Each structure stands twice: as C-alpha cells, then as structure tokens.
Amino acid sequence: MTPPRRTGRPAPRHDPARRLLRAGSRLARAAAVLLVVVAAAVWLPHLLPGSPAAAALGPTATPEQIAAYESHLGLDQSLPTAAWHWLGNLAHGDLGHSLASGRSVTDELADRVPVTLELFLAGQLVALLLAVPLALASAWRPGGAVDRIATAGAFVWLAVPGFVLGLLLIWLAAVQLRVLPATGWTPFTRDPVQNLRHLVLPALTLGLTEAAVFTRTLRSQLLETLDQTYIAAARGRGMGTVRLLLRRTLRPSSLPLVTLVGIGVGTSLGGSVLVETLFAVPGVGSLASAAIAGRDFPVVQAVVVLGATGVVTATLAVDLLYRALDPRIAHDHR
Amino acid sequence: MTGPVLDVRSLDTVLHTPDGRTLPVLRGIDLTVGPGECLGVVGESGSGKSVLARSVLGIHPRGTRATSTGAVLLDGEDLLTAPARRRAALLGTGIAMVHQDPMTSLNPVVRIADQVTEALTNRRRLNRAARLRTAADLLAAVDVPDPARRARAYPHELSGGLRQRVGIAAALAGQPRLLLADEPTTALDVTVQRTVLDLLDHHRRSRGLATLLITHDIGLLYGRAARIAVMYGGRIVETGPTEAVTTHPAHPYTAALLRSVPRVTGPLRRTLPAIPGSPPDPARPTAGCPFAPRCADARERCNTEAPPVHRPAPGRSVSCHYPLGTPESTP
Amino acid sequence: MTTAEPPAATAPTQPAQPAAPAADTGPRPRRRPATGTLVAAGWLTLLALTVLLLPLLLPGFDPLHGDFAHPSAPPAPGHWLGTDASGRDVLQRTVAGARASAAVAALTATVGLLGGGALGLAAGWFRGPVDRLIGFTTDVLMSVPSLVLVMIAVSLRGPSLPVIGVLIGLLTVPHFTRVVRAVVLSLNERGFVQAARMLGTAPARILRREILPHVAPAAVGFAFTATTVAIVAEGSLSFLGFGLRPPAPSWGGIIAEGRTNLGSAPWISLAPAAVLCLTVLAVNYLGEQLRSPAPKGAAR
C-alpha cells in the first residue's frame, strides 16, 4: 500500500506510446490463447478412441468412405496444417457443416446466437435489478435487518445449483401455479409477448444466482466507499440519503461489478448450456449440448472457439476498461 | 447580529462501541466564537478536537454512534435539541466544514463543478450551465486559476493545494455562518499551507465568518486566531487570547506544548523537549485531571479531584488546580 | 451463471486483482465453534455416516431394486424419501449418489491442490518466464467454458468417475494456481523469504518452513470452494446426461429422472436436490468459517 501523498502533483498522464504498447501486447497474448484453443478444437476428433470415421459411419463403412470422411474433416492432416485450414475457412465465414443436420454451422450459429444473447442480457438485467437495491440497503445499514437477511439469503442461494433452481422455478411457476410455460421458445420477432413469457423462467434462473454474487460484491464495495471522507463531506453539505447513495456512492463502487458483468459475458456459454437444455431454448448452449452428445465435430469446434473468443474478448475489454477508469480511483481503492 | 455565532456549553460527547461500551471523548466543553472571529483549537491526536468539530456539525463517521449532551448554540439556536430536519437544513448553509485530506475529501468520479455547488444543489435545482457558472465563480473566489476549466475537471486532475481550495470553495458555497476547519493544512506542503490559511483568513474577514480552526500545530495559530483553546484528553484545559496564552501559558500542558515547538531562533538545543508519556485512553476515564500522569507539577489532588475552572484574567480560563503564574502554583 | 466456475474467481486474468483470500494466514487462535459450524459439520458427518453405514446396516439395500408395487410413493415410514417412478427408494438412491459426488469431490480437490499448488508455487517462486508460461497456460484453460470441456471429454472417452473427477480437478487448477501464486508473491515481499534466500538457505527448506505454512490455509480454504464446484459440476453433468450412465445413481441423474413427474411426485427430484443443496451449503459455510472466524452478520 503506497503511503498517502502530501500535496500531490496531478496524476501523471500515461505516456500514450506505452499505453499502446501494453494494449498491443495484451492483444497479442489474447490472440495466442485463441490460437491454442483453435488447435485444441481442431485436434478434438483425434481424442476419440479408435477411428472417428468408423464411429460415425458405422461398421459397414468401406475404406474409401472412411478415407473420404477423414479428409473431409481434415483428420489426415497434421495439426498445424489442419488449424491453418480451419482458420482460413473461418476467414471466409465457413465453419463447416453440421454432421447432424447438414446445415452450415454459420447459419446454425446465426440462428442461435441472438437467442442466447437475449437470455444472457435478460439474466444480467434481473441480477442487477435485484442486486443494486439490496446492496444499497444492506450497505447503508450494515448489520441491520435487511443486511442480515440479504447476506444470509445470498449465501444460501449460492448453494443452489443452476439446474436445481431452474427445476424449482418450473415446479413453482409452471406446475403449481401454472402461470408460465415450463419450456419452449418463441422468437421475439414472431410474437413478443410469448417470447417474454418464455423468457421469464430461464432469465430468472440465470439472474437469481448472479444476483447473489453481485449483491455480495457490490455490498462490500459500497461499504468501503461509504467510509470515505468524500461521502462524509457530501453529507456535510446537506445531501439527502437517496441522492447520496444513487449519485455519489454507486459510481465509485461499481468497478468490481463491471468486472463481474464482463466476466459473466465470458462464462455465459457454460451457464447457457444448462439453462437452455433445461428450458428447451434453441440457443447456442443447447446446440452445443446436442452436438457434443452426437459428436458433431464441426459444430463442437465452432462452439468451443466461439466460447473461448467470448471469454478472451470480455476479459480483455474488462481489463482495458478497468485501466481506463483506474487513474480516477487510483488513490482510494488500493 | 450580536452575540456569538457559536456558543458551546458543557458539551459532553460519548461514543458507543460495537461491543456495547461507552467512551467519553468530550467532557464539559465550553467555547464561543463570534462573527468574523477565528478561534484556534489546538491539541495532540486523541485530544478530541476532531470529535468536537463533528459533534458541532452533527455528522460522525459511519459506524460510529455518538451521543452529545449539553448545548451547542448556533446564533442562539440549540442544535442538540433541534429536530433532525432542522439540523439537516443547516448543513452547508449554517455550518460548513473543511476537511483535512484533500486527496480523499473529493469524490473521484464526480466533476469539481458538481461537488463545489452541492450546498446549493441539495436544496434547489441548478441546470448544468448554471452549475458550471456558479462553480467557476466559487472557484475564482478562492483564487483557483482558470476556474472555468477547473470546474469541468475531475479531482485527480488537480494538485493537493488546488483541491483544498476546492474544498474551501465548497464549504463557502452555502454562505455559512460558521466554518469548521479540521486541520485544513496538515496534508499540504508547507509552502502551500500559508496560502490556504491566508485564504481562510480573507474570507473570514470579508464575510464575517466565525471560524473554528482546529490544528495540532500551535505555530499555525499565531497571527491567525485571535483566541485559542487548548484541548487535552477530551477537555479544554485553557482558553484565552492567543498572544497571552502563548507568551504566558497558565496550564502546564500548554507550557509543555509550547516548549516542544522547535524554534529557528534562540539557543541551539540538542534534544527536542517532549512530553513524556502518552495521551489518556478514553476507555479509562479518571476522576482527576487528565493531564496529571504526565504533568511535572502534578500533586496529590490532581489525581483524585477534577480541576476547577479558574478565570485569571478577563477572556482567559484555565482548568487546573495549580495554574502557572498564580500563587497556587508554587508549592 | 456460475455452474462450473468457482464463485470466488471474479477477477480479470491480469494480476490486478488476485482472487485469493487474505494472504496473511498465520496460526489461528482456537475458539469454541459457533452453532453454525456445528450444524454444518454435523450435517456433513451425518451424510458421511449414512453413506458409509446404510448399505451395511440396512438389509436389502439396493438402490437399483424397483419395488413395482409402490411406484411414485410419497415419503412415508419405510420409504423415507418416497419412491420414484420405477419404485426405487429415493433415499437409497440419494445415498448411493452421494458416493459418486464424494468421489468426484475428492478427486477434484486432490488434483486441484496438487496440480494448482505445484504450479502456483513454481510461478510465484521462479517468476519470470516460468511465471509467464504458467500464466499463459492457465489463461488458455480458463478461456474455454469448463462445463463444455468436461462434456466433450465425457462424450469422447465415456463417463467414468475418474475421468470426470480428474477433469473437473484440472479445471480448478488455474484457480488454485492463482490463489497459491498470490500468496507466494505476497510472501516474497515480506522480507523473511528474501532474507532466507540471501542467507543461502536451500529452496526446499524455505518452501517447507516459510512458505507452505502460509500457502496451506489459503489453498485448503479454496479447496472447500473447489469441492462445492465439483459437486455442482457433477450434478450438472449428470443432469444433462453426461455423467454416470443410469441406472447408476448420481445426484444430477436422479434429479433429472424425476423431472417428468415434477407435478405428480415432486419428491423424486426435490428430495435429492435438497440434500445436494444442504451439502453444498454446509461445505461453503465451513470453508467460509475457516477463512474468517469473525461472526457473520457483523457490520462488515
């Protein structure tokens, strides 16, 4: 922890050349990570014991058919060549064709990514709408009734895995109360109302667990901020509680939350697999699940690389954002 | 308006710790500050001087529960018995505080203009243009160069000295009657200290602002505070005109404090005279004089009986059994 | 949604914010355990005892045996948690499923502690290129959604407890590595490690005497988190059908089976779900208590 400065000179402006270099190196590293992931994805079919071609085509396959299958999948090439080809195809927007449906993987993804995105955004919205007021109320009166209930509640909540939560919600809303459909999906463009009805339970499943994590993180950050002199100074100028909380306390405390949401983008793929399978939502997650079970390699490869790209991009963005906001908060949150 | 702006009578403040104990941190505080007057409050860390400021303002750090009894009269109105709404209305407009550390007393993600005008915007709406204009005016009044640009800036773009001026401007924005300056220059370079204090002086005179200048450095008060109050162990041990108190201190603590200030002129001293011992623990209040354990002149009575308040001269008071310079002090 | 991601890992990859618990982990004073700790430990003990002893004590313990005379029977004496659609006793199946979860959890914790511990120590001790390489590898591991990864592995190599356990363990290695590395780095700055190095003390000795005592509590604390991650991950996997093949019981599988009867016989899913949640809660609670013995609900 750096000792508090005496009259400081203003915060040094970061040398733009150095900033560029740092950003560049981080980009390069991210690209390297993705390259490794691509290589691993391309190599996946080799992990199958025995010949993947034989497994896919069955015992009646002729050697010619097996050879054709293998060359189609690029299984006869060396790893670097195969990876290079894969990337080359990607540059042309060609991710191969699904072994199950025959459709181009790009088309499949184009259909499903918006659905997963909608689900993700709805989940984050639920989480924020719940977490922000709860965290504010908790931090304002730490140890008070709201705080203790919220803290204990969040703790218990985190022990409930996603699929159990989803099941519970289905049981409550669809089976017992019969207000919402248990599974299924209607695209927003076709019927907005039905779409929203289908959205509620999956979004709640995603969002409620996130809310618990958000609340804990935000609360602890708010507590730290509320201890700062500048909050006492604002109070000393007559600022009311609500305005103080919403307009002077939230923003300095929101950095870890931004980090969380950003990371959430990256990890949303894993979460979406469960939720989409549970609620029969046709998104990327359920596609991945079916493809993995069916050993539909082109789809699996595409999904894995897509997922990794999401994580890497989100992490990069969060990190750059953090550094952009960093100088303003430099002396406080260390 | 005649009469003192701030009149504190028998103020006791007690802190409630999370594990249920009560700590008396202020005892029997009496002081007055008149319009346009500067009262210097000097004491070491732990003497209660900051708690005093916060008790007058009515805002304590979060997590601290404090109860104050006695009377704190602002222009004759007792703040301690006033309803919460009335107290809140006075924050920034009747009383304002300048904080110690300019690095932490400004919100890092809020523009200077928005913070400086808070005392006003908390009461009525000001659109963005009006805020910027008002802020620029307020900043100009505290000699911030290029005030319009600075108003649009964020705190981290300003140096410590400038930030402290912003703090002063923010305190003055609501045209308060009383200004509490809690160690306003402690965190600043020596060269900047003087300009900031001069600034406070200027505004005090031009606005008739009653100022309570709290510091641990008695040297700052020469020529700036007309009167001085010395605090120790949560009590005021001596008050009086600065000149008189510093040349002829009546309380042993004041004398020791003055002795420990290194001087550029005068004979060369090899060792700095310090006061042996450490400040009293508020968790263990004594019945006698709080300074007795460290006082060179302490006698039997000092440990058992609370010292009375003597008034050796008009405008001077001292809380001691054996004040210096009086017949009682010679054994 | 944090299914297979440890809830503690919420920081960007760059070490601007290590996700480690407090690095200052000296010996803790002994205190009488609070009620919560006793309850949590009690539940886990009860679970362990039931898992170990029920098969031995109960005659005819057979989680695969379907009592077709009483399918989908609600909880009652004789079938304390009811029976499922095939008449199998839910309690027995839950107990059997606990064994799978425990095995996966144990494997995960072991792999994570050993692998992550070693990597973290290496990264923090050697720093420089070794650190960067390890950091790169953990970045790669963390960038692929872990659930998907395990699903792929199971799909390619078949579902078996060792595969699942080791793989989930491997996926916790990056997080263990970060925790351990953060502790080691902070210790490096604390002077006594530098002093020992300067005195020429053998690295192995420094590791054993100065570093491990500080790393161990942090790593063990994280092992609790890793355990709950393992339990939840195993549950999620078997729920999706990528876990142990039915009829071998596992918590996720049992819960999934009960899904079709959610309306008519909710206990089939909800009873094992409740057991799962309580177990995760107990482990989390104990892990939390280990990290910070301060009473919960205090103002911070």
Side-chain angles (χ1 to χ4, degrees):
Chain A
M1 171 102 152
T2 49
R5 279 188 286 176
R6 302 280 281 183
T7 22
R9 295 160 310 287
R13 299 234 181 284
H14 286 138
D15 177 16
R18 205 150 43 110
R19 263 222 299 235
L20 212 63
L21 198 68
R22 232 187 338 198
S25 81
R26 203 153 298 133
L27 262 170
R29 187 194 163 117
V33 168
L34 283 178
L35 259 173
V36 174
V37 174
V38 166
V42 166
W43 187 63
L44 270 178
H46 295 270
L47 279 177
L48 203 61
S51 159
L57 298 172
T60 57
T62 64
E64 293 83 28
Q65 287 174 317
I66 292 183
Y69 183 87
E70 286 187 350
S71 91
H72 172 68
L73 270 187
L75 292 173
D76 49 347
Q77 297 164 335
S78 71
L79 182 58
T81 329
W84 185 249
H85 276 200
W86 197 89
L87 283 170
N89 288 339
L90 175 64
H92 293 121
D94 176 17
L95 284 167
H97 294 262
S98 160
L99 296 177
S101 69
R103 291 182 70 205
S104 104
V105 174
T106 326
D107 287 342
E108 288 270 22
L109 286 178
D111 282 344
R112 291 176 176 253
V113 166
V115 175
T116 303
L117 206 62
E118 183 185 342
L119 207 61
F120 170 75
L121 287 172
Q124 297 293 303
L125 197 67
V126 165
L128 284 172
L129 284 175
L130 270 174
V132 170
L134 265 179
L136 280 173
S138 292
W140 185 246
R141 297 240 179 277
V146 173
D147 184 29
R148 277 180 306 176
I149 297 177
T151 308
F155 191 74
V156 170
W157 209 248
L158 283 173
V160 179
F163 65 94
V164 171
L165 182 59
L167 216 59
L168 261 174
L169 284 173
I170 292 180
W171 183 57
L172 274 173
V175 174
Q176 297 293 91
L177 300 175
R178 296 182 183 282
V179 289
L180 291 167
T183 59
W185 186 260
T186 316
F188 189 75
T189 45
R190 188 139 41 103
D191 184 350
V193 175
Q194 273 300 89
N195 173 269
L196 286 173
R197 290 189 74 218
H198 283 294
L199 186 64
V200 172
L201 289 183
L204 274 177
T205 308
L206 281 173
L208 283 175
T209 314
E210 283 282 272
V213 180
F214 282 5
T215 310
R216 286 214 315 186
T217 310
L218 188 58
R219 174 188 176 276
S220 95
Q221 204 60 40
L222 282 172
L223 280 175
E224 227 188 273
T225 303
L226 285 171
D227 272 348
Q228 299 295 317
T229 313
Y230 55 78
I231 296 294
R235 282 173 72 202
R237 296 190 272 266
M239 192 168 271
T241 309
V242 174
R243 191 162 171 226
L244 183 74
L245 284 175
L246 290 179
R247 308 203 56 181
R248 293 283 185 269
T249 319
L250 258 186
R251 277 188 57 199
S253 323
S254 53
L255 205 64
L257 209 60
V258 167
T259 309
L260 276 181
V261 171
I263 305 278
V265 168
T267 60
S268 62
L269 185 63
S272 74
V273 169
L274 261 174
V275 171
E276 288 176 17
T277 311
L278 182 59
F279 289 95
V281 172
V284 178
S286 50
L287 176 70
S289 182
I292 295 173
R295 298 185 182 154
D296 194 346
F297 288 114
V299 175
V300 174
Q301 288 166 343
V303 167
V304 166
V305 175
L306 181 69
T309 313
V311 173
V312 168
T313 318
T315 314
L316 205 67
V318 162
D319 207 44
L320 291 174
L321 195 73
Y322 188 85
R323 279 181 198 277
L325 292 173
D326 190 60
R328 299 190 195 171
I329 317 207
H331 57 269
D332 268 11
H333 293 256
R334 284 290 166 260
Chain B
M1 178 72 147
T2 53
V5 173
L6 179 68
D7 188 358
V8 177
R9 301 183 190 163
S10 300
L11 173 67
D12 290 342
T13 298
V14 155
L15 293 185
H16 306 277
T17 63
D19 44 338
R21 293 179 300 157
T22 52
L23 303 176
V25 288
L26 289 179
R27 298 234 239 151
I29 304 289
D30 287 314
L31 52 83
T32 60
V33 189
E37 182 188 10
C38 177
L39 173 70
V41 175
V42 63
E44 51 192 278
S45 334
S47 57
K49 50 191 199 300
S50 286
V51 182
L52 174 58
R54 294 197 288 259
S55 300
V56 170
L57 189 65
I59 296 185
H60 293 273
R62 283 177 46 81
T64 312
R65 273 183 31 237
T67 323
S68 297
T69 47
V72 174
L73 303 172
L74 183 72
D75 284 333
E77 179 185 0
D78 186 3
L79 298 179
L80 294 183
T81 56
R85 181 167 289 176
R86 174 66 185 145
R87 268 207 110 146
L90 286 170
L91 290 171
T93 54
I95 321 177
M97 179 131 121
V98 176
H99 293 264
Q100 175 177 337
D101 186 1
M103 303 315 238
T104 58
S105 54
L106 289 175
N107 195 318
V109 299
V110 178
R111 287 188 204 274
I112 299 284
D114 296 332
Q115 297 190 58
V116 141
T117 52
E118 265 173 21
L120 305 167
T121 57
N122 286 334
R123 271 112 198 161
R124 63 175 200 273
R125 263 198 63 68
L126 274 180
N127 66 33
R128 187 155 186 264
R131 276 204 306 274
L132 286 170
R133 258 198 326 268
T134 317
D137 291 339
L138 289 167
L139 291 176
V142 291
D143 299 332
V144 167
D146 201 355
R149 185 169 68 90
R150 293 273 152 72
R152 282 195 298 273
Y154 284 94
H156 69 277
E157 301 175 55
L158 272 60
S159 69
L162 276 184
R163 284 198 233 195
Q164 196 61 312
R165 289 171 194 260
V166 169
I168 295 172
L172 297 174
Q175 321 250 26
R177 295 274 295 148
L178 171 68
L179 185 70
L180 305 167
D182 186 3
E183 309 230 34
T185 56
T186 304
L188 300 175
D189 286 342
V190 172
T191 47
V192 182
Q193 278 180 11
R194 193 177 155 161
T195 38
V196 168
L197 288 173
D198 286 344
L199 191 64
L200 283 173
D201 253 357
H202 165 76
H203 282 282
R204 172 177 57 83
R205 281 191 297 264
S206 62
R207 297 166 187 239
L209 195 58
T211 306
L212 201 70
L213 182 56
I214 299 171
T215 179
H216 63 270
D217 182 356
I218 198 168
L220 284 182
L221 299 174
Y222 294 123
R224 298 197 192 275
R227 294 190 304 119
I228 200 174
V230 181
M231 280 191 74
Y232 185 83
R235 283 172 254 229
I236 296 194
V237 295
E238 181 166 5
T239 58
T242 311
E243 173 86 44
V245 170
T246 52
T247 48
H248 298 101
H251 196 281
Y253 175 64
T254 316
L257 204 60
L258 288 163
R259 271 199 302 273
S260 67
V261 174
R263 284 166 214 277
V264 176
T265 56
L268 180 71
R269 288 198 247 202
R270 306 261 161 217
T271 54
L272 270 182
I275 312 176
S278 46
D281 180 2
R284 270 177 266 181
T286 57
C289 172
F291 187 58
R294 302 166 82 185
C295 181
D297 304 325
R299 267 161 271 182
E300 189 62 49
R301 232 169 115 197
C302 301
N303 288 309
T304 51
E305 246 180 79
V309 176
H310 290 278
R311 291 183 203 281
R316 284 196 71 165
S317 71
V318 55
S319 168
C320 182
H321 287 295
Y322 308 104
L324 302 170
T326 59
E328 289 100 353
S329 73
T330 41
Chain C
M1 168 119 145
T2 50
T3 48
E5 310 296 333
T10 55
T13 359
Q14 313 304 325
Q17 265 184 346
D24 187 8
T25 47
R28 298 208 179 276
R30 286 247 169 274
R31 324 166 67 201
R32 198 169 55 83
T35 343
T37 318
L38 288 174
V39 169
W43 167 261
L44 289 176
T45 318
L46 178 67
L47 191 67
L49 285 176
T50 318
V51 168
L52 290 169
L53 297 179
L54 199 66
L56 304 172
L57 296 177
L58 199 66
F61 176 85
D62 185 2
L64 304 178
H65 165 71
D67 179 4
F68 289 100
H70 302 101
S72 302
H79 293 292
W80 294 97
L81 290 179
T83 62
D84 68 7
S86 313
R88 295 175 289 198
D89 182 37
V90 174
L91 175 61
Q92 292 182 14
R93 285 179 69 73
T94 307
V95 165
R99 297 171 70 185
S101 298
V104 171
L107 266 173
T108 302
T110 315
V111 170
L113 270 172
L114 291 177
L119 284 179
L121 281 171
W125 181 261
F126 295 114
R127 303 171 85 172
V130 174
D131 188 11
R132 280 197 292 270
L133 179 66
I134 293 180
F136 183 78
T137 320
T138 57
D139 274 357
V140 171
L141 263 176
M142 286 199 287
S143 66
V144 182
S146 28
L147 200 64
V148 168
L149 205 62
V150 185
M151 285 163 68
I152 294 175
V154 166
S155 147
L156 295 178
R157 301 302 257 195
S160 68
L161 280 182
V163 168
I164 297 175
V166 168
L167 211 56
I168 301 180
L170 276 177
L171 290 167
T172 61
V173 162
H175 301 279
F176 269 107
T177 307
R178 275 208 297 179
V179 168
V180 170
R181 175 183 178 274
V183 173
V184 176
L185 285 180
S186 76
L187 285 179
N188 276 342
E189 277 175 40
R190 291 245 309 254
F192 53 85
V193 172
Q194 285 175 353
R197 270 172 126 156
M198 278 192 278
L199 285 173
T201 322
R205 193 150 172 209
I206 304 181
L207 273 172
R208 190 166 41 90
R209 294 191 57 188
E210 316 277 5
I211 301 192
L212 272 182
H214 285 92
V215 164
V220 167
F222 192 74
F224 277 82
T225 312
T227 304
T228 59
V229 166
I231 297 175
V232 168
E234 191 275 325
S236 311
L237 281 170
S238 21
F239 185 80
L240 288 172
F242 286 86
L244 292 181
R245 294 254 184 273
S250 65
W251 279 345
I254 307 172
I255 297 174
E257 279 167 11
R259 196 183 151 177
T260 41
N261 297 1
L262 205 55
S264 50
W267 57 85
I268 305 178
S269 285
L270 296 182
V275 174
L276 196 164
C277 294
L278 284 172
T279 310
V280 170
L281 190 61
V283 174
N284 265 342
Y285 190 80
L286 286 178
E288 193 100 332
Q289 294 306 82
L290 209 75
R291 252 176 289 207
S292 51
K296 270 170 57 66
R300 188 89 53 95

